[in-house]
Amino acid sequence: MTNINIEQIVSVAEYPKHRNRKYNWKEEYKHWFWKTEPEGFYESWYPADKLHTKEQIEKDGQSYVEDKKVFYKPHAHVTLSNKDYYEKFFTTVEEMKSYVMQLKDQGLKLEQV
């Protein structure tokens, strides 16, 4: 667990399944008569679309592929009083919930929104 002063935490947001919109699935596309773009996951940021494999996407340890969509792994977004934040990624939703419970057990008190 990251060593922080529990009193500095302003909010904790839990994301059990959050869509990663950096990648989009595109079907095979033919440009006129000369060039074909293969189907796959494309990074949809300027300056140009870049084809990525499932393995490349999952290599960062923060994302996974499901049904031609890319999602972030379960994670907690912790905001501190100085406006800094950090995100902690987990393998399962249960691990994420356990982490948040550990913060609460250490005295974390958050306002209910």
Side-chain angles (χ1 to χ4, degrees), residues 6-102:
I6 200 78
E7 305 217 352
Q8 290 181 316
I9 297 177
V10 175
S11 67
V12 177
E14 297 175 51
Y15 295 96
K17 188 172 185 176
H18 186 70
R19 180 87 185 269
N20 182 341
R21 300 203 181 274
K22 180 179 177 183
Y23 302 100
N24 292 308
W25 176 265
K26 293 184 181 177
E27 300 295 331
E28 183 177 75
Y29 178 74
K30 187 168 187 163
H31 298 276
W32 298 92
F33 300 104
W34 62 89
K35 184 177 177 186
T36 300
E37 298 287 339
E39 73 176 11
F41 292 100
Y42 284 85
E43 187 174 350
S44 56
W45 297 99
Y46 185 80
D49 289 347
K50 181 179 175 187
L51 180 64
H52 291 272
T53 65
K54 177 182 176 190
E55 292 75 22
Q56 289 171 321
I57 292 170
E58 293 178 344
K59 185 178 178 182
D60 72 359
Q62 296 180 352
S63 302
Y64 66 96
V65 175
E66 180 180 296
D67 297 327
K68 297 183 181 180
K69 294 179 183 169
V70 179
F71 294 93
Y72 289 108
K73 288 185 176 180
H75 63 285
H77 180 98
V78 180
T79 305
L80 306 175
S81 58
N82 64 357
K83 308 268 192 250
D84 283 345
Y85 70 90
Y86 70 91
E87 292 180 312
K88 183 162 178 71
F89 289 83
F90 305 92
T91 305
T92 66
V93 173
E94 290 76 23
E95 288 176 359
M96 177 191 65
K97 291 190 180 293
S98 174
Y99 174 78
V100 173
M101 288 305 295
Q102 286 177 12

